[in-house]
Amino acid sequence: MLGCSRGWFFRVVLSSALLLRPEQRACLLVARPAPRARSQAPGSLTCFLGYLKMEMTEMTSVSLKRGSVAIEDNDSVAPAEEAKRQKVSGCCPTTGQDGLENSSLPSSEKVPGPPETAEQGEKNSEVPSEEEEEEDGLSEEDEEEEEAESFADMMKHGLTELDVGITKFVSSHQGFSGILKERYSDFVVHEIGRDGRISHLSDLSVPVDEEDPSEDVFTVLTAEEKQRLEELQLFKNKETSVAIEVIEDTKEKRTIIHQAIKSLFPGLETKTEDREGKKYIVAYHAAGKKALANPRKHSWPKSRGSYCHFVLYKENKDTMDAINLLSKYLRVKPNIFSYMGTKDKRAITVQEIAVLKITAQRLAHLNKCLMNFKLGNFSYQKNPLKLGELQGNHFTVVLRNITGTDNQVEQAMNSLKEIGFINYYGMQRFGTTAVPTYQVGRAILQNSWAEVMDLILKPRSGAEKGYLVKCREEWAKTKDPAAALRKLPVKRCVEGQLLRGLSKYGMKNIVSAFGIIPRNNRLMYIHSYQSYVWNNMVSKRIDEYGLKPVPGDLVLKGATATFIEEDDVNNYSIHDVVMPLPGFDVIYPKHKISEAYREMLTADSLDIDNMRHKIRDYSLSGAYRKIIIRPQNVSWEVVAYDDPKIPLFNTDVDNLEGRPPPVFASEGKYRALKMDFSLPPSTYATMAIREVLKMDTSIKNQTQLNTTWLR
């Protein structure tokens, strides 16, 4: 494992930050000398604040405001879709929220299933059941405060890179320190679409369509009428309908009012009524309170494509949360939205979305209603988007206050461009609490369901505070799922869903109880175990054979893995070599690492020759993954700056608003490294940055540098 460099390391001081509101918190960095640890690789450490997901600095901004965010990785293909193409791509089926960096889902996070395209049907629709619709007893603000209070304790019990097999580097350059995510705009992700083009938000205009209602629909209603309609739409009062008097009673005026209500308040239906000689337009919920409205098929022009595609720019929202919010405002089902990959919450991200039979005009109107969102680049097309169709993501990253010389930076970035980095699964894959997700996955594969239940529900030393601690303590004391569930105001977390399942199916049917957790999140655990094995085996492979292909290594020819033969070894490079994730449908290298796989799985009481599970969902077919990734479109520059608060590059919204790009002085108090690079799906940006800085990215390692702030 990496330790402290001979010179300096950073100390994170957060104790005073705990006293601030979430939008005011900031991480303070203090440098001090420290002795170099024995038996540790050379290199420098940094307070990798971005990777820490900035729980202490999560922004609750009320505009498109910049602030601190966390790393977005490129692991963005859904499990079901990737399973179909894993042999071709060589990537592990991804998990969690369709395989993003937060696939190692913190236990207290909400876990809704992913939205689907309309063509996939409504089997896994996001429409909540009556049981799920009960309001959680904790607001978002309360949850943020709870996170802030428990974050320090949580990190004391986290994993290190060594714990998950991340031990090697490919380059020989000297590492240096830097601060990631000091500002919100220091990490921006743009999706790379099916055609290979990078998605940008560049146009907010609405396509001209003769079928769209006129602009009059947005001005015909008074502010008071709009307020009443909005409250009706969101069930904020006891009214079952809202009646609007038609002052100028003409057919044209009534038509405009009908169009205005349906355009501005999707989900509401309208009708005309006579009341005491006066005409009224009456708005009401056609679908009733428990159901969400379906798209109005009768009003959609045949000449127009059924799907409106648009570019979504968002800050501090993951893709599924964003779609759930859009569907709430539009009063439609989330499964009419489709996308190619999910993006993480704590970042500025730009991606393409498609929605079934919702006009661009209605979508554009949301720009006036939603904060931290922008929708644009609208077009009508015949088909939805499909998970896994993206070619990757393009990252723009700023590392502030770097300590490396220009020569060190040049060596590091040239190495990243020419050699690349080890394609490890990042720390995010394995969870942030005292119980790593791979341990739960291992217990599932062992068919040890009592252990699965115990790992998820048992008390965790220092892992959480507040309602989760009370829930776990109640569980440990009574083993009564209903009693433990009553201690839990946030019932959509993993613990809440498992307890609800145990209440429904009983303690003797843990399998069915566990099945209540959304499928993607259940699979997250076993995919985490696969990733854990893969990381360890790749480190052994590089330790044993270095960075060159050797006979017995595996390469992909089309969708088929084949061995490198002795007389063929010179035809390949290390960038061609793949390693298997364990499963029943893969082959293993024909050298020492094959036995290492067998020994590791045997030690975990698993049979490498029989990776099928009696529950089909948990049978692992396996996949292949390249061991070295070389980023594309790599560029960088070192800039000088004096004010830590200024942005160092423009976002798409900055460009749309005509904001001039920042101008840098030739000299300044601080130096920053601005780097751009593109990665394929299922790769981790954290691992690329780790290679540049030569640092350990684990939360535990960073916080153990100085633990006085934890007390």
Side-chain angles (χ1 to χ4, degrees):
M1 289 298 293
L2 290 179
C4 303
S5 67
R6 185 172 301 176
W8 301 77
F9 68 85
F10 285 105
R11 178 164 56 121
V12 183
V13 182
L14 292 178
S15 56
S16 60
L18 291 172
L19 302 176
L20 302 177
R21 292 177 58 80
E23 66 270 21
Q24 296 171 318
R25 297 179 188 130
C27 288
L28 308 177
L29 299 179
V30 181
R32 77 171 194 181
R36 181 168 173 174
R38 290 183 300 170
S39 304
Q40 292 175 326
S44 294
L45 292 169
T46 182
C47 282
F48 196 11
L49 300 180
Y51 174 69
L52 299 188
K53 295 201 171 188
M54 302 306 280
E55 272 89 345
M56 304 304 298
T57 61
E58 178 169 335
M59 302 301 293
T60 54
S61 54
V62 295
S63 63
L64 287 170
K65 179 180 179 182
R66 301 164 189 267
S68 296
V69 292
I71 280 188
E72 165 90 14
D73 279 319
N74 204 26
D75 200 7
S76 50
V77 183
E81 189 66 28
E82 188 166 352
K84 299 176 183 177
R85 66 183 189 89
Q86 55 184 284
K87 296 301 186 295
V88 179
S89 68
C91 298
C92 174
T94 53
T95 54
Q97 297 187 13
D98 295 326
L100 284 181
E101 67 153 4
N102 56 349
S103 60
S104 49
L105 190 72
S107 59
S108 57
E109 292 275 348
K110 293 182 180 180
V111 286
E116 304 175 12
T117 64
E119 291 181 356
Q120 290 174 300
E122 300 175 11
K123 182 178 180 181
N124 294 318
S125 169
E126 274 292 298
V127 181
S129 68
E130 186 171 346
E131 189 171 6
E132 291 173 325
E133 274 192 346
E134 61 182 289
E135 290 190 6
D136 291 333
L138 205 65
S139 67
E140 288 186 16
E141 290 78 8
D142 292 333
E143 289 186 64
E144 286 176 354
E145 294 295 336
E146 192 70 42
E147 281 187 9
E149 292 172 2
S150 64
F151 186 57
D153 283 336
M154 181 188 302
M155 290 189 292
K156 288 191 296 187
H157 301 273
L159 298 167
T160 66
E161 288 187 343
L162 180 62
D163 294 329
V164 294
I166 301 173
T167 61
K168 300 296 179 182
F169 292 101
V170 300
S171 57
S172 58
H173 73 269
Q174 183 179 352
F176 54 91
S177 297
I179 306 170
L180 181 66
K181 307 284 186 70
E182 190 167 53
R183 288 188 57 79
Y184 209 103
S185 59
D186 285 354
F187 203 95
V188 180
V189 186
H190 291 265
E191 191 172 71
I192 303 174
R194 294 172 291 187
D195 56 3
R197 290 188 297 181
I198 298 174
S199 294
H200 283 279
L201 182 73
S202 57
D203 183 6
L204 300 182
S205 65
V206 175
V208 177
D209 192 328
E210 295 179 358
E211 302 288 345
D212 283 336
S214 69
E215 286 299 317
D216 291 340
V217 302
F218 299 108
T219 58
V220 69
L221 298 172
T222 68
E224 181 183 354
E225 289 167 344
K226 289 179 181 178
Q227 178 69 25
R228 292 177 62 204
L229 288 165
E230 181 180 3
E231 290 175 353
L232 174 67
Q233 180 193 40
L234 300 177
F235 303 107
K236 289 185 176 180
N237 56 32
K238 295 182 179 180
E239 287 187 272
T240 58
S241 64
V242 169
I244 296 172
E245 183 180 355
V246 184
I247 304 299
E248 301 170 16
D249 184 18
T250 64
K251 183 177 180 182
E252 291 75 16
K253 184 64 177 287
R254 293 197 302 271
T255 299
I256 290 173
I257 295 175
H258 282 293
Q259 289 178 337
I261 294 172
K262 292 178 180 180
S263 296
L264 298 178
F265 305 98
L268 296 183
E269 292 290 350
T270 58
K271 59 185 177 181
T272 303
E273 287 186 0
D274 282 307
R275 296 183 180 180
E276 299 179 354
K278 295 180 181 180
K279 284 280 200 286
Y280 287 85
I281 306 298
V282 179
Y284 61 98
H285 277 287
K289 184 169 182 177
K290 293 296 183 185
L292 297 176
N294 287 308
R296 296 183 183 85
K297 298 180 181 179
H298 64 275
S299 62
W300 196 263
K302 293 181 180 179
S303 60
R304 182 197 289 164
S306 294
Y307 293 86
C308 184
H309 288 231
F310 61 95
V311 170
L312 174 65
Y313 171 104
K314 59 184 177 62
E315 298 179 359
N316 207 34
K317 284 282 184 187
D318 67 38
T319 301
M320 294 198 309
D321 283 342
I323 284 176
N324 286 334
L325 186 61
L326 294 177
S327 65
K328 175 182 176 181
Y329 273 82
L330 294 170
R331 286 307 289 181
V332 296
K333 295 177 180 179
N335 69 346
I336 70 172
F337 290 87
S338 59
Y339 46 84
M340 294 181 287
T342 59
K343 303 289 177 283
D344 189 50
K345 175 180 180 180
R346 298 174 181 92
I348 294 176
T349 65
V350 182
Q351 69 180 118
E352 188 176 354
I353 304 288
V355 60
L356 175 66
K357 294 187 176 179
I358 300 292
T359 66
Q361 192 173 29
R362 286 172 63 186
L363 292 168
H365 186 68
L366 295 178
N367 286 331
K368 303 175 184 178
C369 310
L370 297 175
M371 298 174 290
N372 300 332
F373 285 80
K374 284 290 182 184
L375 288 68
N377 297 79
F378 302 102
S379 65
Y380 293 108
Q381 299 185 32
K382 294 181 180 179
N383 299 311
L385 297 170
K386 294 181 180 178
L387 285 164
E389 287 183 325
L390 81 168
Q391 291 193 17
N393 288 302
H394 184 79
F395 297 84
T396 303
V397 179
V398 169
L399 302 174
R400 291 180 182 253
N401 199 19
I402 60 171
T403 61
T405 65
D406 287 349
N407 186 52
Q408 284 177 294
V409 171
E410 196 75 12
Q411 289 180 1
M413 293 307 298
N414 276 320
S415 175
L416 182 69
K417 182 177 181 178
E418 295 168 9
I419 302 175
F421 61 95
I422 302 173
N423 195 19
Y424 286 125
Y425 288 96
M427 298 301 297
Q428 307 94 307
R429 187 79 160 182
F430 306 103
T432 57
T433 67
V435 179
T437 50
Y438 75 81
Q439 291 184 5
V440 180
R442 179 169 55 202
I444 293 171
L445 294 173
Q446 292 169 342
N447 219 28
S448 301
W449 291 102
E451 184 181 356
V452 171
M453 178 179 65
D454 185 55
L455 286 169
I456 294 174
L457 295 178
K458 71 179 181 180
R460 302 178 181 187
S461 301
E464 304 116 345
K465 288 184 179 179
Y467 61 86
L468 270 172
V469 168
K470 293 176 182 176
C471 170
R472 296 186 191 285
E473 288 174 348
E474 182 68 28
W475 172 256
K477 181 173 64 176
T478 66
K479 291 293 190 262
D480 182 345
L485 193 61
R486 285 194 292 271
K487 302 287 186 181
L488 198 60
V490 181
K491 294 181 173 57
R492 295 184 189 178
C493 59
V494 169
E495 291 86 352
Q497 298 206 9
L498 178 56
L499 288 168
R500 192 157 51 85
L502 291 170
S503 298
K504 181 176 181 178
Y505 293 105
M507 297 286 287
K508 294 184 178 180
N509 195 352
I510 300 172
V511 174
S512 296
F514 184 71
I516 278 188
I517 299 171
R519 181 176 183 272
N520 281 355
N521 298 100
R522 287 183 278 121
L523 296 184
M524 169 192 72
Y525 293 116
I526 59 173
H527 292 160
S528 177
Y529 178 74
Q530 282 183 303
S531 305
Y532 166 72
V533 172
W534 194 90
N535 278 1
N536 278 278
M537 293 300 100
V538 167
S539 291
K540 285 183 179 293
R541 158 64 181 78
I542 292 174
D543 189 51
E544 186 73 31
Y545 299 111
L547 294 174
K548 62 182 187 300
V550 297
D553 273 336
L554 293 170
V555 294
L556 287 176
K557 291 186 176 179
T560 305
T562 60
F563 298 108
I564 296 179
E565 302 296 341
E566 183 81 45
D567 56 357
D568 208 24
V569 70
N570 292 329
N571 293 328
Y572 298 100
S573 76
I574 193 64
H575 298 99
D576 299 313
V577 176
V578 298
M579 294 270 284
L581 288 103
F584 61 78
D585 198 24
V586 295
I587 58 175
Y588 295 88
K590 207 182 287 184
H591 48 51
K592 292 181 181 178
I593 305 305
S594 178
E595 188 57 33
Y597 271 98
R598 183 176 296 276
E599 289 173 359
M600 186 172 184
L601 267 68
T602 299
D604 286 340
S605 302
L606 296 172
D607 183 359
I608 196 172
D609 299 316
N610 182 18
M611 297 301 291
R612 295 185 185 274
H613 197 280
K614 67 178 185 179
I615 300 172
R616 185 176 178 181
D617 268 358
Y618 309 138
S619 289
L620 297 178
S621 61
Y624 301 100
R625 180 178 175 90
K626 287 191 173 183
I627 68 173
I628 303 292
I629 290 292
R630 185 161 46 195
Q632 301 299 307
N633 307 313
V634 179
S635 64
W636 67 92
E637 64 176 323
V638 176
V639 299
Y641 65 101
D642 291 312
D643 185 354
K645 297 179 181 179
I646 64 168
L648 298 184
F649 63 91
N650 276 4
T651 65
D652 286 355
V653 169
D654 292 332
N655 294 331
L656 278 171
E657 294 175 350
R659 185 173 299 169
V663 177
F664 305 110
S666 57
E667 293 184 2
K669 188 185 300 184
Y670 310 106
R671 294 162 64 248
L673 170 60
K674 175 179 175 288
M675 50 198 295
D676 282 85
F677 54 92
S678 299
L679 294 177
S682 193
T683 54
Y684 283 72
T686 44
M687 296 295 99
I689 296 168
R690 169 186 182 268
E691 186 69 39
V692 170
L693 295 175
K694 285 292 186 75
M695 51 165 280
D696 181 340
T697 61
S698 69
I699 293 174
K700 184 173 183 178
N701 187 76
Q702 298 302 317
T703 56
Q704 283 182 341
L705 298 180
N706 190 308
T707 60
T708 57
W709 67 278
L710 294 174
R711 298 189 178 97

